[in-house]
Amino acid sequence: MKGSYLGEALPDYLSAHATPPDQVLRDLAVETAALHSDHAGMQIAPEQGTFMTMLVQLTGARLAVEVGTFTGYSSICIARGLVPGGRLIACDVSEEWTSMARKYWERAGLTDRIELRLGDAVETLGALPAEEEIDFAFIDADKAGYPAYYEALLPRMRPGGLIVCDNTIQGGRITDPAAEGNVPVMREFNDLVTADPRVDSVLLPVADGLTLARKR
């Protein structure tokens, strides 16, 4: 989703000045828009994907977790940034959407790096071995579930591990006290992260807003 709150021209300018997506990601975006037009806005923006690959590389992540996979764009970007031998656990509830993700993971040559877990993400995270520390996590699922996903992930993050949360500006409506829908729950989540003494955090105006929380 583009950051329309930045104005009409600036989002396209920002996208044009980031390393562009390759053919695999471009084809995935086109097919997602064609087959899932009602939900295509759930897919991350191209410049966000480039940024996330860079973040994963900068953290030297070996184990990553994604909560909310949709058709696989973000998981490809995360998996591409992992160190050799790295692994991404992708959590989602939709067999339909993730069937497209599987197809594009194979096309991208990433099937050995990505493990799909269908089902409740909190239960999936709770079942992970306690001795495995997560280096990088991305939350982009149902907005009311963000606090539960965050709390399930944070104890499992290594010190210095990074949690990235999507859609935290809500199209610029986050500061509108009259806004409804997901805005009130996202505002509460933003306040929760900001007040959390376990992390250092920043909210960036990238795409629809990205909150970065680094575990102390």
Side-chain angles (χ1 to χ4, degrees):
M1 178 181 292
K2 292 186 177 182
S4 58
Y5 54 89
L6 296 174
E8 292 184 3
L10 192 54
D12 289 336
Y13 182 86
L14 297 176
S15 181
H17 289 80
T19 300
D22 66 0
Q23 192 63 52
V24 172
L25 290 174
R26 291 198 298 270
D27 289 349
L28 172 54
V30 169
E31 185 171 349
T32 298
L35 297 182
H36 304 291
S37 58
D38 292 343
H39 302 282
M42 292 167 54
Q43 186 165 262
I44 66 171
E47 67 273 17
Q48 180 180 342
T50 301
F51 181 52
M52 286 174 50
T53 299
M54 189 179 296
L55 286 176
V56 177
Q57 292 169 331
L58 289 171
T59 58
R62 178 172 297 276
L63 177 60
V65 170
E66 173 182 70
V67 180
T69 296
F70 192 37
T71 57
Y73 195 110
S74 56
S75 51
I76 290 175
C77 295
I78 294 169
R80 283 177 168 172
L82 296 170
V83 300
R87 179 168 58 108
L88 168 64
I89 299 173
C91 305
D92 206 282
V93 295
S94 173
E95 178 66 43
E96 178 187 4
W97 289 342
T98 55
S99 64
M100 185 184 296
R102 289 180 185 272
K103 180 174 72 172
Y104 278 89
W105 294 342
E106 183 174 0
R107 182 173 165 188
L110 296 170
T111 53
D112 61 332
R113 293 191 183 189
I114 305 175
E115 178 184 347
L116 178 63
R117 305 272 184 98
L118 289 175
D120 181 88
V122 173
E123 294 180 4
T124 297
L125 295 171
L128 294 178
E131 65 273 11
E132 280 195 319
E133 289 190 315
I134 301 167
D135 303 300
F136 181 92
F138 180 50
I139 302 176
D140 187 18
D142 59 293
K143 308 315 168 191
Y146 271 36
Y149 303 139
Y150 176 81
E151 291 296 345
L153 281 164
L154 189 57
R156 293 172 168 79
M157 304 296 297
R158 67 164 169 83
L162 187 66
I163 300 177
V164 178
C165 309
D166 199 13
N167 305 119
T168 50
I169 290 179
Q170 290 289 295
R173 297 178 299 132
I174 198 69
T175 57
D176 181 358
E180 299 179 346
N182 288 321
V183 174
V185 295
M186 189 57 70
R187 192 181 296 122
E188 291 180 8
F189 176 73
N190 289 340
D191 291 343
L192 180 154
V193 175
T194 302
D196 191 344
R198 299 170 294 177
V199 301
D200 296 307
S201 67
V202 61
L203 201 169
L204 300 176
V206 176
D208 192 32
L210 285 178
T211 293
L212 277 59
R214 180 181 182 273
K215 185 175 180 179
R216 291 178 173 173

